[in-house]
Amino acid sequence: MLRRVAVSLALSAVTAFGQVPDTIAVTPRLATTAVLTDADDPAIWIHPTRPERSLILGTDKGAAPNGGLYAWNLDGSLQQRLVLPRPNNVDVRRGVPLGGQLVDLAVVTMRADHELRVFAISPETRTLTEITTAGGIEVFKSPYGLTLYQRWQDRALFAIVSSKHDSTRSQLWQLRLHDDGSGRVQGTLVRQWGNHAGIIEGMVADDQLGYLYASEQGAGIHKYYADPEQGDEPLALFATEDGIAGNHKGLALYACPDGTGYLLLATPRDQALRLYPRAGEPGQPHRHRLLTTVRRTQGETGVSVEVTNFRTSNDFANGLLVWHDELGRRFHLIGWEEIARDFLHVCVAAVTSSAVADENAGAGIAGFALHQNHPNPFNPQTRIPFDLPAAGWVQVAVFDVLGRRLKTLQEGWLPAGAHAAWWDATDERGQTAPSGVYYLRLHTAGFIATRKMTLLR
């Protein structure tokens, strides 16, 4: 049976116990409320300190005033709706450097306006606010597919976009998204590549391993390097022999920190998801063969899918799958364990919420660890030790009980080994923090740990 993971923090990998069946049937646990016109693409935003306050984002690609960008709570209830004319795809990244701080962003393709629009997600209010540069971020005609790629060694953010228009659909565009000098986001085109005959809609970037997957209708799934500095060389074309030609749609990635996991392909014509091993085969990392097919017992499946391995709530303690219900104009929510069962990996990433703290919250795997700060309680300084099994980008930050980031203590590339950060009980502006409970967060590629600490003046 699958191992249950503690609420506080754990990352565990559960290997397959037997032969994976050809088909796995799942029943949705919850569903979002319906959009007004035509639901299209989902994304998942994980709250940095209170995972139960995470959001499901999704688009309604109808014309204004019906079209829009939606944010739902984890119980499916509506949190926010922004009126937008014909939005198509949406994607999310956390911790993007902007205006001297790290900001969580959602980016949307606007099919009718030929542009990208960018929204900041507030952990305090759980609302989205547009921060696109005043001149807009223009792209080619009929932008269609979208994925964000965040280069984890320097946190640089890129948007990779495809087009549905006959004149531009053969190529992919990659834009660097960055501060325009006023705290808003502008885009700079950094590469155009590809020679695709069919339309590409589903795309997903593997930030940790540095790959881009793009599903071309009538062809298969293309694999490229996501970093423009690595070149345009095609690495693989797969999902070509699965009886789904012409039916390659949305893509999502269930990513474990050890490089394993699954690539999920939505194939609405046969009402299914196809799963491929993320790591490829031994000695052949770019060979991805069909592993299993997932079918839903309720609703009509659609073109899009999203997945996370983060524990978000008691309902989704082992990760969450969001699957488009085209007929219902909504999205179904399915616990990852309902798919994995005794056959597939489960690698749960969980952050301690302010409601549930644990003295073992920093326990990790494979050498990752965030140790308890010392002294604790403290006044005014405390030391925060942490361990890294390999070199990589690291951020150590302090949050208050509402999930607001007070101060980034350390950020950048660090070698493997034992490290420590210090907090002097001040915020980014140097102002003194009051007595109370605060949260430490260690964030690396594929690993997030949180610990509680107490400041006593």
Side-chain angles (χ1 to χ4, degrees), residues 272-288:
L273 291 178
R274 308 289 178 129
L275 270 63
Y276 301 84
R278 175 194 185 201
E281 298 182 4
Q284 296 180 294
H286 304 317
R287 183 176 176 83
H288 306 269

Side-chain angles (χ1 to χ4, degrees), residues 313-335:
S313 67
N314 290 333
D315 283 326
F316 304 109
N318 295 293
L320 167 65
L321 177 77
V322 181
W323 199 351
H324 183 198
D325 177 4
E326 190 161 18
L327 185 63
R329 295 179 286 112
R330 58 184 179 173
F331 300 96
H332 281 159
L333 311 184
I334 301 167

Side-chain angles (χ1 to χ4, degrees), residues 110-262:
M110 304 298 298
R111 192 188 305 182
D113 296 334
H114 319 311
E115 65 178 3
L116 304 182
R117 293 174 70 169
V118 183
F119 300 84
I121 308 173
S122 167
E124 294 86 3
T125 64
R126 299 168 63 244
T127 56
L128 286 74
T129 303
E130 184 167 7
I131 56 169
T132 313
T133 190
I137 304 175
E138 186 176 354
V139 292
F140 39 40
K141 292 182 178 180
S142 299
Y144 201 46
L146 167 75
T147 189
L148 297 180
Y149 163 61
Q150 193 168 21
R151 193 165 54 197
W152 67 285
Q153 58 264 45
D154 62 1
R155 309 307 290 165
L157 183 66
F158 300 88
I160 302 171
V161 192
S162 66
S163 171
K164 196 176 183 181
H165 197 273
D166 288 343
S167 65
T168 50
R169 73 182 190 184
S170 64
Q171 287 196 324
L172 299 175
W173 280 25
Q174 186 163 5
L175 298 90
R176 171 78 181 269
L177 302 181
H178 54 96
D179 197 325
D180 68 356
S182 69
R184 302 180 76 84
V185 176
Q186 66 181 8
T188 300
L189 184 65
V190 295
R191 70 166 166 168
Q192 302 168 244
W193 85 103
N195 186 24
H196 311 105
I199 295 172
I200 288 178
E201 181 176 12
M203 292 190 291
V204 67
D206 188 331
D207 292 356
Q208 182 186 6
L209 301 184
Y211 299 125
L212 167 71
Y213 298 93
S215 59
E216 179 186 348
Q217 297 177 30
I221 301 174
H222 299 274
K223 185 177 183 180
Y224 298 103
Y225 288 114
D227 188 341
E229 296 180 6
Q230 297 295 314
D232 305 338
E233 175 189 1
L235 302 174
L237 174 65
F238 60 97
T240 59
E241 302 173 353
D242 305 332
I244 54 174
N247 198 22
H248 297 79
K249 295 288 187 177
L251 289 174
L253 189 68
Y254 183 85
C256 297
D258 62 357
T260 63
Y262 305 98

Side-chain angles (χ1 to χ4, degrees), residues 38 46 63 83 103 141 227 309 341 368 377 407 433-434 436:
D38 191 355
I46 303 296
V83 177
V103 181
K141 292 182 178 180
D227 188 341
N309 67 328
R341 308 202 186 167
F368 283 108
K407 191 170 187 177

Side-chain angles (χ1 to χ4, degrees), residues 283-298:
Q284 296 180 294
H286 304 317
R287 183 176 176 83
H288 306 269
R289 293 195 287 192
L290 178 65
L291 182 63
T292 189
T293 298
V294 178
R295 299 190 185 279
R296 195 166 60 193
T297 60
Q298 298 175 8

